[in-house]
Amino acid sequence: MSSKAPGAVNAPAVDEPPELIRAIPLPHYGRWATVAVLVVLAAMAVHGLVTNENYHWDLVFPMLFTYEIGRAIGWTLILTVAAMTIGIILAVTLAVMRRSANPVMRAVATFYIWFFRGTPIYTQLIFWGLIGVLYPRLSLGIPFGPEFFSFRTYDVFTAGVSAILGLGLNEAAYLAEIVRSGLGSVDKGQEEAAQALGMRPRSILFRIVLPQAMRVIVPPTGNETISMLKTTSLVTAVPFTLELTKVATDYGSQTLLPIPFLVVAGIWYLVITSILMFFQSKLEAYYGRGDSTTPGRLSLRGRRRQRTSRQAAINAAHTTPAATAAEWTP
Amino acid sequence: MAMVEVHDVHKFYGDLHVLKGVSLHVERGQVCTILGPSGSGKSTLLRCVNVLEEIQSGSITVDGTLMGYAKDDHGRLHELRPRQLAAQRSRIGMVFQRFNLFPHMSALGNVMAAPVRVAGRPKEEAKEQAMELLERVGLADRAHHFPAQLSGGQQQRVAIARALAMEPDLMLFDEPTSALDPELVGEVLAVMQDLAASGMTMMVVTHEMGFAREVSDVAVFMDEGVIVESGSPAELFDNPQQDRTREFLQKVLSHTE
C-alpha cells in the first residue's frame, strides 16, 4: 500500500492477485424468529386439517379422479378458453374503436365498456339465461319491414352458448382497456415512421404497433385468464350446470357432505391455476417485464440467441415501457 | 417548377403560433439546410411538408402536388382520405432524429417493409433492392441484425436506406445526427453527402454547420417561427445580413470550431 497523488495511474500489477475482502456477515436473528413462528403456525394448520374428521379426507382422494369430476374440469376449461377467445378478439376491436378518429366508433366502444364493466357479471349471466323469456323468437330483417329468417331463441342460446357469450362479452370490456393501454404505450415515433413511409392505418396497426404492444398486453391477459378460470363458477346463474363448482356442490348436497367435494374442487382450481401461473411467468419472461437485455452487454452466444428472438429485439429497443404490466389486477 | 413550394404557411398548436408565414422553395436536386435555435419551428416545418402535422394556413406543394388537401374546381379544399395521404407520403422519404426503426424487424425487414406493404412488390424483388440499399449505406453485412444490435450511426444509416426504398422524389432529414455519439456523426453525414451528390432533393434540419456549409445549395435560418434569412451557404455563413443570424452563428461556431 503506497500513497499516491490523486489521479495517479497504477502500474499494472502482474503476479499478485488482489487481497479479497472477508467481512463477517450480518446476523439475521429476525429471519430465524419468523421461521420459528411460521413453523408453529403451519404445524397447527396441518394438525387441524388432518385430525378434523369433517374434512373426510378418505372421500376426497378417491373423488379427485372420478369421471364426473374430470368431465366438470373439462367443461370449466372449455368455458375459460372459449370466453377468453371471444374476449380477446372483441377487445382488440373495441380498443381500436376507442382510438379511432371516428367519434361514432369511439362512443360505441366507450358505451360498451361502460355498460359491461358497470353491471355485475352475475346479473349479466342471469340475463343471458333469461334471453329466451325476453325474446322468445329472434329474427333478422328490416325494422318495420320484411323478415329474412327467424328462430326460437332457446334453440340457439342454449345454456352453454349463453354462458360462453356472457363470460366472453363481459371479459372483452376489461381486456379492451388492457389492449388500449398496450397500444398507447408504443412510442409515437413508430407510428410516425410508418406514416412517413406511406403505410395505411390498418398496416400500421397490425404490422407495426400491435406486435410491439403485445409486450404490455400479454402478461395482464394471462392474469385475466387465471381470473376467468374461477369466474366460470358463476355460470350456474344461467343456469349452466356442468362446470366444476356446480358439479362439486351438487354432489355435496346429494351426499349431505358438502365439504369434501368443495375441497376436491378447490384442489383442482389450485392445480390448474398453478399450471397457468407457470405459463404466465414464462410469457412474462419472454415479453421482458423488467427487462435487462441490453445489447452490447451480452456474450456472443447470447447475442446469437437474441437474434433469433423478435421479442427480445423489441424488449431491447425500449419502444414500450417495461413493467407496466404489473398494475393490472382487476 | 420547384420540387418543394412552401407558401405563407402558418401552424398553430392551440394558441401557440409555431410557424408565422413561412415561404420557401427548393429546386429539384437541391439540398436545403434549415438552421436555427431549438423551438424556432424548423422541425415543425419539415413535418408539415409530409403532413405529419396539419397546417392552418398557406399551402405546400411537392413536385406540383398540393400536400394534405385536394382542391376542387371551385378552389375549395377537401380533406384527404387516409389512403390518399399515405400515397402522398410514400413519395417523400423521412429520416428522424431518433431513427424510429421498427425494433421487431431486422435491418433488411425495415428496408423491405414499405416496398412490400405499400407498393405491393414481390418479396424477392424487394429483398434484392433492400440489399442493394444496405450495400449503398455500407451495412450489407448487418442485414439480419435487429436495430437494438446496431450502433446509433448504423441504425440511422438503415433508416436512410429504409426511406430510400420507396424511391422518393424528396428526402426530409430531421436532425439526423443529433441523437448520435460524436464519433458516429461522420458516417451518417457521409451517406447523406453521397445522396446529395447523386442528385437527390433534400431538406435537412441540422446543427452540423460543416455539413450545411459544404453540402447545401441553400441555407435557411429560422427563428421564432419565421425565416430570418436565406441564401447560399457562403452568403449566410460569411456575410449574414441579420443580427439574429450573426448571433446564432457566433454561438454555434465558437462552440464547434
Side-chain angles (χ1 to χ4, degrees):
Chain A
M1 295 296 240
S2 61
S3 66
K4 285 203 172 106
V9 180
N10 262 318
V14 193
D15 295 325
E16 235 178 290
E19 190 186 336
L20 300 177
I21 295 171
R22 289 207 187 80
I24 296 152
L26 265 181
H28 294 287
Y29 303 121
R31 290 185 195 171
W32 290 107
T34 320
V35 167
V37 171
L38 284 177
V39 165
V40 172
L41 287 176
M44 286 164 70
V46 170
H47 177 259
L49 277 172
V50 173
T51 57
N52 188 336
E53 286 179 0
N54 293 331
Y55 280 109
H56 286 282
W57 293 104
D58 53 323
L59 276 177
V60 168
F61 291 111
M63 281 308 297
L64 271 178
F65 301 102
T66 56
Y67 169 75
E68 286 75 14
I69 292 292
R71 198 179 57 170
I73 293 166
W75 274 110
T76 294
L77 291 176
I78 288 171
L79 288 176
T80 306
V81 170
M84 285 307 288
T85 307
I86 292 175
I88 288 167
I89 294 169
L90 199 52
V92 173
T93 315
L94 285 166
V96 170
M97 285 168 72
R98 279 205 85 170
R99 287 163 53 87
S100 162
N102 180 341
V104 182
M105 291 284 198
R106 282 204 306 271
V108 170
T110 309
F111 175 81
Y112 181 99
I113 292 167
W114 168 78
F115 183 81
F116 280 92
R117 287 203 308 181
T119 51
I121 174 72
Y122 196 76
T123 315
Q124 288 174 29
L125 286 168
I126 295 173
F127 260 97
W128 282 105
L130 293 174
I131 192 164
V133 177
L134 277 171
Y135 307 101
R137 292 191 75 78
L138 287 177
S139 61
L140 190 70
I142 297 164
F144 308 108
E147 251 177 36
F148 301 129
F149 69 91
S150 76
F151 53 86
R152 227 169 62 86
T153 305
Y154 275 135
D155 288 344
V156 174
F157 287 84
T158 58
V161 170
S162 293
I164 288 169
L165 275 179
L167 292 172
L169 298 190
N170 180 260
E171 185 59 29
Y174 288 92
L175 285 173
E177 292 293 275
I178 292 175
V179 175
R180 187 169 71 110
S181 80
L183 295 178
S185 75
V186 178
D187 182 14
K188 193 79 182 66
Q190 291 292 311
E191 190 178 347
E192 283 186 351
Q195 283 178 336
L197 287 170
M199 289 175 84
R200 297 193 195 171
R202 171 181 288 266
S203 287
I204 295 176
L205 175 70
F206 286 109
R207 301 284 167 184
I208 307 299
V209 178
L210 204 51
Q212 296 177 61
M214 293 307 268
R215 175 177 150 77
V216 174
I217 294 170
V218 169
T221 303
N223 204 29
E224 287 289 308
T225 308
I226 291 173
S227 175
M228 176 61 80
L229 175 72
K230 288 156 296 171
T231 309
T232 56
S233 63
L234 296 181
V235 298
T236 45
V238 171
F240 180 83
T241 55
L242 298 170
E243 58 76 38
L244 187 52
T245 299
K246 176 68 176 159
V247 168
T249 46
D250 280 355
Y251 275 115
S253 38
Q254 277 167 32
T255 55
L256 299 177
L257 291 169
I259 288 170
F261 288 98
L262 284 178
V263 171
V264 167
I267 288 172
W268 276 115
Y269 281 120
L270 278 172
V271 168
I272 300 168
T273 303
S274 306
I275 296 169
L276 290 176
M277 278 176 74
F278 172 77
F279 286 115
Q280 193 191 8
S281 74
K282 290 280 165 210
L283 274 177
E284 281 175 10
Y286 182 70
Y287 285 101
R289 182 148 120 199
D291 86 293
S292 59
T293 50
T294 317
R297 274 197 295 162
L298 291 168
S299 66
L300 191 68
R301 210 169 83 231
R303 269 171 173 277
R304 202 172 300 137
R305 206 181 306 133
Q306 191 194 36
R307 202 169 305 153
T308 62
S309 166
R310 203 176 77 136
Q311 190 59 42
I314 294 177
N315 298 347
H318 300 289
T319 47
T320 53
T324 45
E327 291 152 27
W328 280 98
T329 310
Chain B
M1 182 191 273
M3 188 74 208
V4 183
E5 193 81 59
V6 176
H7 180 69
D8 196 22
V9 163
H10 290 259
K11 164 80 192 165
F12 297 87
Y13 288 117
D15 289 337
L16 196 64
H17 202 169
V18 189
L19 296 178
K20 304 169 184 168
V22 172
S23 297
L24 174 72
H25 68 114
V26 183
E27 299 295 330
R28 184 180 293 276
Q30 271 190 338
V31 176
C32 170
T33 50
I34 304 170
L35 315 171
S38 59
S40 58
K42 53 196 194 308
S43 284
T44 306
L45 173 62
L46 210 62
R47 293 162 58 84
C48 289
V49 172
N50 69 348
V51 211
L52 286 181
E53 307 280 354
E54 258 178 23
I55 58 175
Q56 275 75 47
S57 176
S59 68
I60 298 176
T61 58
V62 173
D63 201 15
T65 307
L66 180 66
M67 297 302 291
Y69 300 95
K71 202 175 234 174
D72 67 15
D73 296 339
H74 307 285
R76 286 176 306 206
L77 293 179
H78 297 256
E79 288 182 345
L80 292 182
R81 295 176 180 287
R83 66 183 162 81
Q84 291 172 311
L85 269 181
Q88 287 194 338
R89 289 184 184 125
S90 70
R91 297 171 45 227
I92 302 173
M94 183 156 193
V95 175
F96 297 86
Q97 181 177 354
R98 288 179 51 245
F99 329 135
N100 295 350
L101 289 179
F102 306 133
H104 54 304
M105 301 177 187
S106 64
L108 185 65
N110 268 279
V111 182
M112 285 170 62
V116 173
R117 299 278 160 226
V118 179
R121 277 190 217 145
K123 275 202 172 143
E124 277 310 307
E125 188 189 317
K127 188 174 172 184
E128 216 167 283
Q129 180 218 13
M131 282 307 294
E132 276 168 32
L133 283 167
L134 285 172
E135 184 95 42
R136 185 167 165 190
V137 298
L139 288 171
D141 58 329
R142 295 284 186 274
H144 298 287
H145 284 54
F146 282 113
Q149 297 166 320
L150 300 172
S151 73
Q154 291 171 334
Q155 287 190 52
Q156 194 60 298
R157 286 188 280 153
V158 173
I160 293 172
R162 176 176 74 174
L164 289 173
M166 288 297 287
E167 290 162 1
D169 306 317
L170 167 69
M171 285 284 284
L172 308 174
F173 292 85
D174 187 5
E175 303 200 27
T177 57
S178 298
L180 295 176
D181 291 338
E183 79 271 21
L184 303 177
V185 169
E187 61 189 70
V188 172
L189 291 181
V191 168
M192 290 168 62
Q193 197 157 359
D194 278 354
L195 197 57
S198 76
M200 176 64 75
T201 314
M202 294 162 60
M203 289 177 77
V204 186
V205 170
T206 188
H207 294 292
E208 293 296 328
M209 295 301 146
F211 177 86
R213 190 173 197 145
E214 281 170 40
V215 181
S216 58
D217 301 293
V218 186
V220 173
F221 174 67
M222 282 184 74
D223 194 14
E224 291 177 358
V226 293
I227 292 181
V228 177
E229 194 169 351
S230 68
S232 75
E235 285 166 7
L236 196 85
F237 280 96
D238 299 332
N239 191 18
Q241 302 298 307
Q242 303 290 327
D243 289 344
R244 275 196 280 178
T245 317
R246 210 170 298 134
E247 264 171 50
F248 175 77
L249 288 175
Q250 254 164 19
K251 268 187 215 159
V252 180
L253 294 177
S254 68
H255 177 68
T256 49
E257 285 166 57

